[in-house]
């Protein structure tokens, strides 16, 4: 009788969490305390409860605290996303976040500078150590490249060739980063460039580094732009625009683009229209960020601009992220005291989880070409 009573006693919470995660991870061929590169090494059993209760946030925050490790995080996330384990998140868990994204303009003018302060103003020396020599913080083009430097140069040249840049043209770069595109275009194609950023660090860097080039940089929100340009580019910025502002962004482009002009939009994109930003990424990496779907982009341009071309090379982002991670690891000792161990684990988690997501084709990288009904269209450039 005593044995029967013991058998019916409630299983401890940690035991239930371990059983559930063993089952869920098993679908992705991931083992807790296994010995393969993609297996989870658990250091604190209670972390499993937090992962079960808080899903993505719990997974990321317990990793940041050192509660578990995986030798190859990119493989771990590749397997999770390929097996579509996010489907285990109950729809009601995201209902509030989805509703919030529709009701509140998370990327309003008032909030526009938050991501610059939180992410891009970490320190120019930090990004110089992680990125290529031009500090290009977007996907490289690896078709013929063998190094990060070659891939980023190839990407910049691809953009310039797609835009058909010629001496004397004026190029606007919406979200110009540390000036990699505008400096390359000014030097290699003889164009006058205007850049817009919400990061003080980026603005100061461009003003100091490229004072000898025909470049003007503005610390301002894109919605205030109203000058005419021959060509417009936006590289890795549209992810911060948000669905409530997609149409506004396209109206700004139409307002600033000359009748015979072209606009290139380089952005990460998601496969599902009705989905929200990963809560860990939103909290720790890109506040108020939101990836667009292909349908949302075309909706935004509807009856304003003509889509001339769309090029997907999302698989190249995995290589780019792994190259950034290698640089980050190589130079970490320089920054360890300044940023601390939790930042190290956060940044490693960010870079490698994203690499796994691109490898799994869970997210994409698109280059869209738009015109204002350009006569004759354009020829595909690759």
């Amino acid at each position: 009788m005593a044995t029967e009573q013991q058998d019916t006693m409630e299983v401890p919470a940690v035991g239930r969490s371990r059983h559930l995660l063993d089952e869920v991870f098993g679908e992705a061929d991931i083992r807790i305390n296994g010995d393969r590169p993609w297996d989870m090494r658990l250091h604190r059993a209670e972390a499993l409860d937090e992962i079960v209760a808080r899903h993505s946030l719990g997974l990321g925050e317990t990793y940041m605290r050192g509660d578990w490790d995986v030798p190859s995080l990119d493989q771990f996330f590749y397997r999770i996303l390929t097996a579509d384990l996010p489907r285990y998140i109950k729809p009601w868990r995201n209902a509030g976040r989805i509703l919030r994204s529709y009701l509140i303009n998370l990327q309003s003018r008032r909030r526009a500078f938050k991501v610059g302060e939180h992410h891009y103003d970490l320190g120019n020396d930090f990004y110089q150590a992680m990125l290529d020599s031009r500090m290009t913080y977007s996907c490289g083009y690896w078709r013929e490249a063998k190094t990060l430097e070659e891939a980023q140069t190839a990407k910049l040249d691809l953009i310039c060739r797609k835009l058909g840049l010629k001496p004397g043209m004026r190029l606007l770069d919406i979200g110009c980063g540390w000036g990699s595109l505008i400096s390359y275009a000014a030097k290699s194609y003889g164009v006058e460039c205007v850049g817009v950023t919400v990061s003080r660090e980026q603005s100061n860097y461009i003003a100091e580094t490229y004072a000898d080039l025909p470049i003007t940089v503005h610390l301002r929100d894109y919605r205030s732009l109203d000058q005419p340009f021959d060509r417009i580019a936006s590289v890795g910025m549209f992810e911060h625009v948000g669905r409530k502002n997609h149409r506004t962004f396209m109206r700004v482009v139409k307002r600033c683009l000359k009748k015979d002009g072209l606009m290139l939009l380089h952005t990460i994109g998601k496969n599902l229209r009705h989905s929200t930003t990963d809560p860990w990424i939103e909290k720790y990496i890109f506040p108020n960020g939101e990836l667009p779907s292909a349908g949302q982009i075309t909706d935004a341009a509807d009856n304003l601009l003509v889509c001339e071309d769309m090029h997907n090379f999302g698989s190249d982002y995995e290589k780019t992220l792994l190259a950034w991670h290698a640089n980050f690891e190589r130079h970490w000792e320089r920054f360890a005291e300044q940023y601390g161990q939790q930042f190290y684990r956060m940044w490693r988690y960010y870079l490698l989880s994203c690499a796994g997501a691109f490898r799994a084709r869970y997210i994409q990288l698109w280059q869209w070409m738009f015109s204002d009904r350009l006569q004759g269209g354009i020829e595909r450039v690759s």
Side-chain angles (χ1 to χ4, degrees), residues 207-273:
E208 293 170 5
T209 306
Y210 302 117
D212 60 329
L213 293 175
I215 289 174
T216 304
V217 61
H218 298 290
L219 185 66
R220 64 195 291 191
D221 181 72
Y222 70 92
R223 280 162 280 216
S224 63
L225 294 166
D226 61 0
Q227 297 179 27
F229 292 89
D230 301 289
R231 300 291 188 265
I232 299 175
S234 184
V235 183
M237 175 271 183
F238 198 69
E239 300 91 332
H240 304 301
V241 169
R243 72 181 78 189
K244 293 184 76 68
N245 307 294
H246 289 164
R247 184 75 170 171
T248 298
F249 180 93
M250 292 299 183
R251 287 196 181 105
V252 170
V253 170
K254 185 175 178 68
R255 182 169 74 221
C256 295
L257 190 64
K258 292 183 178 180
K259 284 297 181 183
D260 59 348
L262 289 172
M263 186 268 186
L264 182 143
L265 178 65
H266 173 118
T267 182
I268 300 171
K270 62 186 180 183
N271 296 330
L272 298 175
R273 176 189 290 263

Side-chain angles (χ1 to χ4, degrees), residues 139-150:
C139 181
Y141 190 48
W142 292 82
R143 191 172 74 163
E144 297 178 0
K146 292 186 170 51
T147 66
L148 178 63
E149 191 75 19
E150 292 174 355

Side-chain angles (χ1 to χ4, degrees), residues 124-377:
N124 289 341
D125 55 346
F126 173 77
Y127 283 106
Q128 281 177 314
M130 187 180 82
L131 305 176
D132 64 301
S133 64
R134 295 187 185 89
M135 295 176 71
T136 317
Y137 195 24
S138 54
C139 181
Y141 190 48
W142 292 82
R143 191 172 74 163
E144 297 178 0
K146 292 186 170 51
T147 66
L148 178 63
E149 191 75 19
E150 292 174 355
Q152 295 295 15
T153 300
K155 186 267 299 296
L156 297 175
D157 200 66
L158 177 67
I159 291 172
C160 292
R161 289 185 291 112
K162 284 185 174 183
L163 288 170
L165 294 183
K166 294 181 175 58
M169 286 184 173
R170 293 186 78 224
L171 169 67
L172 169 66
D173 187 359
I174 304 176
C176 61
W178 286 273
S180 60
L181 175 59
I182 52 180
S183 63
Y184 184 85
K187 285 181 181 178
S188 302
Y189 286 83
V191 298
E192 178 190 348
C193 300
V194 174
V196 176
T197 178
V198 294
S199 164
R200 292 187 184 280
E201 290 285 330
Q202 291 178 343
S203 177
N204 292 339
Y205 178 86
I206 295 169
E208 293 170 5
T209 306
Y210 302 117
D212 60 329
L213 293 175
I215 289 174
T216 304
V217 61
H218 298 290
L219 185 66
R220 64 195 291 191
D221 181 72
Y222 70 92
R223 280 162 280 216
S224 63
L225 294 166
D226 61 0
Q227 297 179 27
F229 292 89
D230 301 289
R231 300 291 188 265
I232 299 175
S234 184
V235 183
M237 175 271 183
F238 198 69
E239 300 91 332
H240 304 301
V241 169
R243 72 181 78 189
K244 293 184 76 68
N245 307 294
H246 289 164
R247 184 75 170 171
T248 298
F249 180 93
M250 292 299 183
R251 287 196 181 105
V252 170
V253 170
K254 185 175 178 68
R255 182 169 74 221
C256 295
L257 190 64
K258 292 183 178 180
K259 284 297 181 183
D260 59 348
L262 289 172
M263 186 268 186
L264 182 143
L265 178 65
H266 173 118
T267 182
I268 300 171
K270 62 186 180 183
N271 296 330
L272 298 175
R273 176 189 290 263
H274 300 294
S275 61
T276 60
T277 305
D278 176 87
W280 185 87
I281 288 286
E282 183 178 30
K283 181 175 180 179
Y284 290 100
I285 307 299
F286 296 117
N288 301 327
E290 183 179 19
L291 299 184
S293 70
Q296 287 172 334
I297 292 174
T298 54
D299 286 351
D302 189 34
N303 205 34
L304 289 175
L305 300 166
V306 174
C307 177
E308 301 284 356
D309 187 50
M310 194 269 268
H311 178 190
N312 186 346
F313 54 99
S315 295
D316 285 17
Y317 224 141
E318 178 197 352
K319 295 179 182 178
T320 305
L321 285 154
L322 292 178
W324 290 344
H325 174 253
N327 286 342
F328 169 72
E329 293 283 359
R330 188 179 305 116
H331 297 288
W332 172 247
E333 286 304 314
R334 287 173 48 194
F335 305 100
E337 185 174 349
Q338 179 182 356
Y339 292 106
Q341 183 66 11
Q342 182 165 296
F343 178 93
Y344 167 76
R345 293 182 68 87
M346 176 185 76
W347 206 259
R348 185 172 186 272
Y349 188 91
Y350 153 55
L351 294 173
L352 294 178
S353 64
C354 289
F358 278 104
R359 187 187 307 167
R361 304 308 307 281
Y362 192 74
I363 47 180
Q364 314 301 325
L365 188 285
W366 298 315
Q367 282 190 352
W368 299 75
M369 294 296 299
F370 290 101
S371 77
D372 188 359
R373 296 179 176 85
L374 183 67
Q375 293 298 311

Side-chain angles (χ1 to χ4, degrees), residues 12-38:
V14 170
R16 292 198 305 272
S17 297
R18 173 62 186 264
H19 178 76
L20 175 60
L21 287 176
D22 276 338
E23 182 179 339
V24 172
F25 284 165
E27 293 199 26
D29 192 26
I30 295 170
R31 299 173 193 153
I32 298 175
N33 292 328
D35 57 3
R36 298 167 302 177
W38 56 86

Side-chain angles (χ1 to χ4, degrees), residues 76-91:
F76 174 79
F77 280 100
Y78 166 73
R79 288 174 175 273
I80 282 177
L81 296 173
T82 300
D84 195 23
L85 297 193
R87 73 185 186 278
Y88 283 95
I89 298 176
K90 296 179 175 65

